[in-house]
Amino acid sequence: MPARPLIDLHAHSTASDGTLGPAELVRAAADAGLDVVAITDHDTTAGWAAAVDALPAGLGLVRGAELSCRWQGAQPALPLHLLAYLFDPEHPELVAELARVRRAREARGERIVELLRADGIDVSWPEIMAAADGGTVGRPHIAAALIRTGLVATTTEAFGPQWLGQRYRLPKEDIDVFRAVALVRAAGGVPVFAHPRASRRGRIVPDSLIAELAAAGLAGLEADHEDHTPAEAAHVRGLAADLGLLVTGSSDFHGSHKTVRLGAHTTAPEAYERIVAASSGVTGVASG
Ligand code: AMP
Ligand code: FE
Ligand code: FE
Ligand code: ZN
C-alpha cells in the first residue's frame, strides 16, 4: 500500500439502498483511486461474496454492514446507525437479528406505501419490492417510486418533511444499540457509530450515550461525513479523543441515490489499522 493510502469505510450496494451492484462497487472504488473500501449495506451481508469475487488487484475490501439500531433512552426511541466491520457473518444471534430487522423493514415499507396510496399517490409495493431485487428495502426505494410518479424530482425532495422525512415516515423495529454493540463484538467485529452528530437527518443522541456505548464496547466514531458540518465533525473528534475511541471518515456512497462520491471523505491509516487489529480475524480484510 502507498504511504498515505486512501481508505473509505462506508459504502452501499444494491444489497441495500445503493445503486451499484457489489461487483460494480468494488470496481468503482478502484477507479476512484481507493486502496481500501468497506461494503456496509444496511442490515445485510448479502453483497459480500460478489464483492470479493470481483475485487480488483490492489484493492483491500473490509466486509461490513450498517446496523439499524435504536436507543430506548429517548421518547420516542431514537434511531441510529452502527457500522460493523470484519465480523463473523454466521454468528447465529447476529444473523437472526439482521433477518428480523429486514423483515420489519418490509412490513414498515408496505405500511408507508399504504399511507401514500390512501392519499391517492400512485406507488406500488410489489413494484418497489421488485426494484429492490432482494436487497434490504428502505425509504430510498420508496423515494425512487415517488420520483417515478413525477410528484418529486429528487431523492432529497422525497426525504422532505411533507414526504418520507416526516409525514409518511414510520419507525422501524431496530436493534437495541447496546445489544448491537455486544453482538458485533461477540461476532469478532468492530462497531463504529455512523454519523453520530448528523442533526440534519433528525434528532441526535446525547454525548452521555456515546460515553456509555464506549464503556460497552463501541470502538469508534465516524467524524468526517457529508451530513456533518465542520463544527459537528470537530465535536465528534473531540469526543473520540476524550473517550479513547478511534475516528473514521467515509463517503457513505449510495450510487445515484445520493450525490456524494466514493472517497469524498477518508479514514486515516492509523485508525484503519486499529480496526483491523481489534477484529478477531475470523473475517479478514480481503485483497484483490
Ligand atoms: P431507512 O433506513 O429506510 O429509514 O432509510 C434511511 C436511508 O435513507 C439512509 O440510509 C440514507 O441512505 C437515506 N437517506 C436518509 N436521509 C436522506 C436524505 N435527506 N436524502 C437522501 N437520502 C437520505
Ligand atoms: Fe442508506
Ligand atoms: Fe447511515
Ligand atoms: Zn450508510
Side-chain angles (χ1 to χ4, degrees):
M1 259 202 279
R4 291 309 286 180
L6 286 177
I7 302 165
D8 184 343
L9 296 179
H10 188 165
H12 297 261
S13 78
T14 51
S16 65
D17 55 7
T19 58
L20 298 186
E24 295 172 298
L25 175 65
V26 290
R27 285 185 215 119
D31 289 346
L34 295 181
D35 298 288
V36 177
V37 70
I39 182 168
T40 55
D41 280 301
H42 296 287
D43 307 310
T44 187
T45 60
W48 287 15
V52 171
D53 286 349
L55 205 52
L59 182 66
L61 176 70
V62 170
R63 282 162 283 185
E66 185 171 24
L67 311 191
S68 302
C69 299
R70 65 179 162 195
W71 176 49
Q72 324 265 10
Q75 263 315 321
L78 219 156
L80 57 103
H81 288 172
L82 192 72
L83 290 158
Y85 297 117
L86 302 172
F87 59 90
D88 175 3
E90 292 176 3
H91 185 276
E93 282 170 86
L94 187 54
V95 167
E97 201 69 330
L98 295 184
R100 182 188 64 74
V101 171
R102 290 196 303 271
R103 282 193 302 273
R105 280 173 162 279
E106 292 186 12
R108 172 250 205 175
E110 189 167 13
R111 282 171 56 221
I112 292 176
V113 165
E114 280 166 11
L115 291 178
L116 287 162
R117 291 180 66 84
D119 286 347
I121 296 148
D122 186 22
V123 286
S124 144
W125 181 244
E127 267 176 43
I128 290 166
M129 283 299 282
D133 197 23
T136 303
V137 73
R139 284 180 293 158
H141 298 99
I142 304 174
L146 283 171
I147 292 170
R148 288 196 289 275
T149 67
L151 289 166
V152 299
T154 63
T155 311
T156 306
E157 203 184 329
F159 273 87
Q162 67 278 41
W163 297 104
L164 303 171
Q166 192 175 317
R167 177 155 179 200
Y168 298 99
R169 180 175 190 170
L170 293 176
K172 304 194 298 302
E173 283 171 46
D174 303 314
I175 313 170
D176 175 83
V177 64
F178 286 94
R179 176 164 163 75
V181 166
L183 280 177
V184 171
R185 287 289 192 179
V190 186
V192 172
F193 196 149
H195 40 77
R197 295 289 288 192
S199 53
R200 51 178 274 205
R201 287 179 175 229
R203 293 177 297 153
I204 55 168
V205 304
D207 290 352
S208 57
L209 173 69
I210 295 178
E212 284 177 50
L213 289 171
L218 183 71
L221 302 176
E222 188 179 56
D224 293 316
H225 184 282
E226 65 157 356
D227 289 346
H228 283 159
T229 64
E232 286 168 339
H235 180 88
V236 171
R237 272 191 289 272
L239 196 56
D242 289 348
L243 297 171
L245 299 174
L246 62 87
V247 164
T248 67
S250 296
S251 66
D252 200 356
F253 177 74
H254 280 70
S256 60
H257 272 162
K258 287 189 181 174
T259 54
V260 73
R261 287 172 307 144
L262 279 162
H265 296 285
T266 55
T267 296
E270 296 75 17
Y272 166 65
E273 297 299 342
R274 275 176 73 180
I275 290 172
V276 175
S279 78
S280 70
V282 171
T283 299
V285 178
S287 50

